[in-house]
Amino acid sequence: MRRFMRETLTQSRESRMGRDALTASSIINMHEPQTNNEEESEDENQMDASDSQTRHMPIRRNSRFYRSMRVRNRQRRDRLSSREGMEIDSQTNAQQTYDGSRRIHLSVHYNPSTGPAGYREYLPSEDTSNPHEDSSSPSECVTSNLEAPPAIYPLPSDSFKTIIDHIEFLYQEYRDKSTQHEIQTRRLQDNYVRSAETSNNSQSTPLGSPPPVENQRANSTLSRFKSSCSGFNLWQDLPDVRKSDVLTLLQPEEVKLQEAMFELLTSEASYYKSLRLVVSHFMDSERLRATLHQSEIHFIFSNVLEVLATSERFLLALEQRFEENIVISDVCDIVHDHAVKHFGVYITYVCNQTYQERAYRTLLQERPEFRDAVGHLEMDPVCRGLPFSSFLILPFQRITRLKLLVQNILTKVEEGSEREMTALQAHRELEKLVRSCNDGVRKMSRTEQLISIEKTLEFKIKSVPIISHSRWLMKQGELQQMSGPRTSRTLRTKKLFRPVYLFLFNDLLLLCKPLTGERYQVFDVATRGLLRVEELEDQGQTLANVFILKLLENAHEREFTYMLKATSQSEMKRWMTSLVPNRRTKFVSMSAKLLDCPQVQCVHPYVSQEPDELTLDLADILNVLDKTEDGWVFGERLHDQEKGWFPRTVVEEIMNPNIRTQNLKECFRVHKPEEGSQNKDRRKMGSRTRQ
């Protein structure tokens, strides 16, 4: 080493005296043994003809200089990554293989922000020097299996097509089986956790004794059910995944995330298969088209061709991402891009649903040839015994289900990562789409309902315009109004109560006297925001289910109080909840962020019969806000925070508090407010405080 330094200093002095300057690599090469004549000839060919130009010799990849430069560049990249807060640069375990004295170093980096191209694989490098002396520094071999899939595993060109062709389920079958699987999984988790807690709370068994039989049975059943997944193809069961040995390098959390993204892909393929059946089997049927006029064809099928093209475009984008790497980097960025640019066709289709249902119902009743043609097509084996109406509602079901699938992915990605940000963006765009679809459907029916209500009203007081684009009916029905003073003599009279009919809109209350022929006379009016309700304590059978309705300002601009009697406890509570929606309920709402309150899951689908009821789908999770003794529950659905009443018979309670807490935490994470909305809320709170 001292000899090397002396000769280096000598060479630097000579260069200052006007001699040709040499690089450090050429000086080192001058003192190395000349054992390879071919290398010398190659080096001579690389020299420039000009004497004033510097000679450059190749630096060995694993030399000290090159390794120090790699560490320096890595530190600089880490500083830039931490400053921007957007890049996650992690590495997997360095795989080292030895062949005699040769060592091959392989590092794989994963950057989620760059998608599939973010997998950067550094080529193996060989070093013939001492492996212990020139081994890579520990900082270069930091591993993180949780965040970094190990490498790029591209699929063969026909692998994705094979997967799609092997999907046997139509989308209706997939949706039913998937929701049933969610219900059964929650049941088994609930029973398993409760049995484990019971075992822990009981007296401890002697060392070496087997666990209780109930615990063994619950554990084995849950494991077996989780592995089966109701017969669906799992990502980890794909032949290409098995051959790549990638499962040995991924953490269980990453495998669950891969399964969630793979379900979105396969469900889209099943949905596309069902949509193609709508067009090829029903819409293109000559027998069916012969029974319809051109306008009726438009009412029945709407813009289903545009929806089909949108689904095909979306599926092709997912296919391209999946074929680039079998370890899926992300799908929510694709969902967000297509939701912004292409999914608007769903709003058009769903808004036409009211006319579609009406035209379909009318044709079935009044046109026998149409009914026979539909029945003949439904009998075909390709329909799997499913009715034509189940195919017509596919687009609305898909856009709702797609939001839940993105929500499932969001609960499995690492917090604060790039994938969480794209999942939140995709979820918000899908929420906007679903809200627009619901508003479009309701707007059509609400306007027609207001027109029909206005035709039945006559005003005893100053008339109030009913039809408005911002108004809709919340609840209507007949109650009994208590008349006369509350004395024992009055309670024994036959005319203690008289009928009164209420029309409750989102901003207005009409109190009417029923007339003959389904007509009503309006005798009082109040703004909904100026209503107060109070429940009477138990005062016997006569005053059972009676509540007080106070109008802070009625039609005569004065305060007035009514005592109203309902036919049951559930009807009384439903009216009180509708009249004053912000009143305190028996249990706290989800907006209070209470991490433990009663929860139920839907085990039987329910279609609302009145405006204050909530339509439930299988596997919906709801917070219980109130309930009655006669079997009705007032709940708040977690995934969209919609509130309403439903029968207790269609749900079952989630008993384990840990699972309830987990459901709420996932809900809070999914509905995490944007930074802009948070600042806006803070400004509102500040202005209220100053006032």
Side-chain angles (χ1 to χ4, degrees):
M1 186 68 185
R2 288 193 295 270
R3 178 186 174 185
F4 169 76
M5 294 299 298
R6 286 196 305 269
E7 294 180 358
T8 303
L9 293 174
T10 303
Q11 293 291 337
S12 63
R13 293 192 196 99
E14 294 176 354
S15 63
R16 287 196 297 270
M17 295 173 64
R19 297 190 178 185
D20 294 337
L22 300 178
T23 62
S25 59
S26 61
I27 296 173
I28 295 172
N29 194 48
M30 289 170 60
H31 298 278
E32 289 184 350
Q34 304 294 329
T35 57
N36 194 339
N37 295 328
E38 294 179 1
E39 293 181 358
E40 294 177 358
S41 61
E42 291 177 359
D43 295 340
E44 292 175 357
N45 292 333
Q46 293 177 359
M47 296 173 58
D48 195 274
S50 176
D51 293 338
S52 62
Q53 193 170 4
T54 304
R55 296 183 182 182
H56 294 279
M57 300 297 294
I59 300 176
R60 291 187 179 273
R61 181 175 178 81
N62 286 322
S63 65
R64 292 184 180 86
F65 171 77
Y66 191 82
R67 284 190 282 112
S68 64
M69 292 299 297
R70 279 191 301 182
V71 173
R72 192 175 304 167
N73 292 336
R74 186 183 305 280
Q75 293 174 352
R76 183 174 59 83
R77 288 196 302 269
D78 292 342
R79 287 196 300 270
L80 292 175
S81 176
S82 61
R83 187 183 307 151
E84 295 176 2
M86 299 293 290
E87 293 185 359
I88 300 174
D89 194 1
S90 58
Q91 305 171 339
T92 60
N93 291 327
Q95 302 177 358
Q96 301 182 357
T97 57
Y98 297 92
D99 183 11
S101 62
R102 311 178 77 181
R103 167 172 289 186
I104 300 177
H105 301 286
L106 177 63
S107 300
V108 182
H109 299 263
Y110 170 62
N111 187 356
S113 64
T114 57
Y119 293 90
R120 304 191 304 276
E121 181 174 356
Y122 292 95
L123 295 176
S125 62
E126 300 182 1
D127 187 15
T128 57
S129 61
N130 189 354
H132 299 284
E133 185 177 350
D134 292 335
S135 59
S136 299
S137 61
S139 62
E140 297 176 17
C141 302
V142 178
T143 62
S144 177
N145 283 339
L146 176 61
E147 299 179 359
I152 298 179
Y153 296 94
L155 287 177
S157 58
D158 58 343
S159 293
F160 186 83
K161 186 177 183 301
T162 304
I163 295 172
I164 299 302
D165 292 340
H166 280 79
I167 295 178
E168 300 177 356
F169 295 120
L170 293 176
Y171 186 72
Q172 298 94 314
E173 298 171 311
Y174 151 76
R175 190 169 178 269
D176 292 340
K177 290 182 178 293
S178 178
T179 50
Q180 289 292 343
H181 169 253
E182 292 179 23
I183 293 172
Q184 295 299 329
T185 302
R186 291 185 191 131
R187 284 175 176 171
L188 290 173
Q189 287 176 343
D190 198 7
N191 294 333
Y192 171 66
V193 176
R194 277 188 291 165
S195 63
E197 289 181 349
T198 304
S199 175
N200 293 333
N201 294 332
S202 62
Q203 185 177 2
S204 60
T205 57
L207 184 63
S209 60
V213 178
E214 293 80 4
N215 198 353
Q216 288 181 346
R217 186 180 301 114
N219 193 359
S220 60
T221 305
L222 181 60
S223 301
R224 185 169 59 254
F225 189 81
K226 282 184 176 181
S227 62
S228 64
C229 195
S230 298
F232 288 120
N233 290 328
L234 295 177
W235 174 82
Q236 56 188 312
D237 292 336
L238 295 176
D240 296 297
V241 175
R242 293 291 184 183
K243 293 176 184 177
S244 65
D245 293 332
V246 70
L247 294 176
T248 61
L249 301 173
L250 293 179
Q251 294 288 347
E253 291 78 7
E254 181 66 28
V255 175
K256 292 179 183 178
L257 177 59
Q258 293 294 318
E259 295 290 0
M261 293 189 289
F262 186 68
E263 183 184 0
L264 188 145
L265 187 149
T266 53
S267 63
E268 185 65 27
S270 177
Y271 167 67
Y272 176 70
K273 180 178 180 179
S274 298
L275 275 184
R276 287 182 58 187
L277 200 60
V278 174
V279 175
S280 62
H281 186 66
F282 290 99
M283 187 175 181
D284 293 342
S285 171
E286 295 294 336
R287 179 177 177 180
L288 183 63
R289 295 179 71 91
T291 63
L292 298 172
H293 303 298
Q294 190 63 34
S295 60
E296 294 171 339
I297 293 176
H298 174 71
F299 280 137
I300 295 297
F301 295 101
S302 188
N303 63 329
V304 68
L305 293 177
E306 296 179 0
V307 176
L308 178 64
T310 300
S311 176
E312 183 177 5
R313 187 186 299 112
F314 182 47
L315 186 60
L316 288 175
L318 295 174
E319 172 186 352
Q320 182 180 1
R321 176 65 56 86
F322 186 63
E323 287 182 346
E324 287 174 349
N325 195 352
I326 199 170
V327 182
I328 309 172
S329 60
D330 197 4
V331 294
C332 292
D333 57 337
I334 300 176
V335 175
H336 177 262
D337 181 65
H338 283 253
V340 173
K341 297 179 180 178
H342 308 297
F343 285 178
V345 297
Y346 283 95
I347 301 176
T348 305
Y349 186 92
V350 174
C351 289
N352 188 54
Q353 189 172 349
T354 302
Y355 302 108
Q356 183 188 67
E357 292 176 353
R358 185 181 305 167
Y360 181 68
R361 195 182 309 112
T362 302
L363 289 170
L364 286 178
Q365 295 174 355
E366 300 179 358
R367 198 167 298 177
E369 58 272 18
F370 173 79
R371 184 171 59 250
D372 295 341
V374 171
H376 175 74
L377 293 173
E378 290 176 344
M379 293 297 292
D380 195 286
V382 296
C383 294
R384 308 285 185 88
L386 296 170
F388 179 41
S389 57
S390 69
F391 289 90
L392 293 178
I393 62 175
L394 283 176
F396 183 66
Q397 289 180 340
R398 179 54 184 172
I399 201 67
T400 306
R401 182 68 181 175
L402 190 59
K403 188 191 78 167
L404 297 179
L405 292 174
V406 172
Q407 183 173 316
N408 186 35
I409 295 173
L410 180 55
T411 59
K412 291 177 171 58
V413 297
E414 56 275 12
E415 294 192 28
S417 64
E418 180 74 14
R419 289 192 287 190
E420 184 189 40
M421 186 182 70
T422 57
L424 282 171
Q425 291 174 348
H427 186 265
R428 287 167 186 153
E429 286 298 327
L430 291 174
E431 271 193 328
K432 293 178 183 178
L433 279 171
V434 173
R435 195 179 303 115
S436 299
C437 291
N438 288 329
D439 292 343
V441 173
R442 292 168 182 168
K443 186 176 181 180
M444 300 293 183
S445 58
R446 286 170 177 174
T447 303
E448 295 178 355
Q449 192 176 35
L450 290 177
I451 294 174
S452 62
I453 290 175
E454 190 180 46
K455 293 179 179 179
T456 63
L457 299 179
E458 58 182 58
F459 286 83
K460 186 178 180 180
I461 56 175
K462 183 180 179 180
S463 62
V464 177
I466 301 300
I467 301 176
S468 173
H469 292 293
S470 59
R471 178 175 295 158
W472 63 87
L473 182 69
M474 299 289 297
K475 191 173 179 61
Q476 65 175 344
E478 184 176 305
L479 296 173
Q480 299 295 319
Q481 179 190 358
M482 182 177 177
S483 59
R486 294 172 54 189
T487 62
S488 58
R489 181 181 60 83
T490 308
L491 293 176
R492 290 192 296 268
T493 60
K494 295 182 179 180
K495 296 183 179 180
L496 176 62
F497 295 100
R498 64 179 183 183
V500 58
Y501 202 91
L502 272 64
F503 288 97
L504 178 64
F505 302 97
N506 62 312
D507 60 344
L508 190 68
L509 173 66
L510 303 181
L511 291 96
C512 310
K513 176 184 177 181
L515 303 176
T516 58
E518 295 186 356
R519 296 190 61 81
Y520 307 95
Q521 185 183 60
V522 181
F523 63 85
D524 208 349
V525 165
T527 305
R528 191 187 181 200
L530 299 178
L531 302 178
R532 301 293 183 267
V533 293
E534 180 183 349
E535 182 178 357
L536 288 180
E537 298 180 359
D538 189 9
Q539 299 185 14
Q541 185 65 29
T542 306
L543 294 179
N545 305 322
V546 174
F547 67 96
I548 297 175
L549 172 63
K550 181 182 291 187
L551 278 59
L552 300 182
E553 183 179 333
N554 68 350
H556 304 288
E557 298 183 355
R558 60 187 179 91
E559 184 177 315
F560 200 85
T561 301
Y562 295 93
M563 292 186 64
L564 303 175
K565 180 181 176 63
T567 57
S568 63
Q569 184 193 31
S570 61
E571 185 183 16
M572 178 191 68
K573 286 199 170 186
R574 288 173 64 170
W575 268 109
M576 294 175 66
T577 304
S578 299
L579 289 167
V580 184
N582 296 326
R583 62 181 292 269
R584 185 176 180 84
T585 55
K586 186 175 182 180
F587 303 102
V588 181
S589 172
M590 191 189 71
S591 58
K593 295 189 176 181
L594 186 68
L595 292 182
D596 190 18
C597 65
Q599 279 183 10
V600 293
Q601 71 167 339
C602 177
V603 294
H604 301 289
Y606 178 72
V607 180
S608 61
Q609 306 298 319
E610 295 185 18
D612 65 332
E613 294 180 3
L614 194 61
T615 298
L616 300 181
D617 292 326
L618 287 174
D620 280 350
I621 301 179
L622 304 101
N623 273 353
V624 176
L625 304 181
D626 207 343
K627 53 186 177 181
T628 64
E629 297 177 357
D630 52 353
W632 283 87
V633 180
F634 182 61
E636 181 178 21
R637 190 162 45 207
L638 294 190
H639 75 78
D640 59 1
Q641 301 179 5
E642 290 285 336
K643 298 178 184 179
W645 290 88
F646 49 88
R648 188 185 302 171
T649 55
V650 302
V651 297
E652 64 181 17
E653 189 171 358
I654 300 175
M655 304 300 297
N656 187 267
N658 296 330
I659 296 179
R660 296 197 297 265
T661 302
Q662 179 184 353
N663 292 336
L664 281 178
K665 287 182 178 179
E666 291 179 353
C667 180
F668 296 151
R669 183 182 178 187
V670 167
H671 294 92
K672 183 187 300 183
E674 299 184 54
E675 188 66 26
S677 62
Q678 287 181 342
N679 297 333
K680 186 177 180 181
D681 294 339
R682 294 193 191 102
R683 289 194 297 268
K684 286 184 178 179
M685 292 297 296
S687 61
R688 291 176 183 175
T689 305
R690 289 190 296 271
Q691 292 175 359

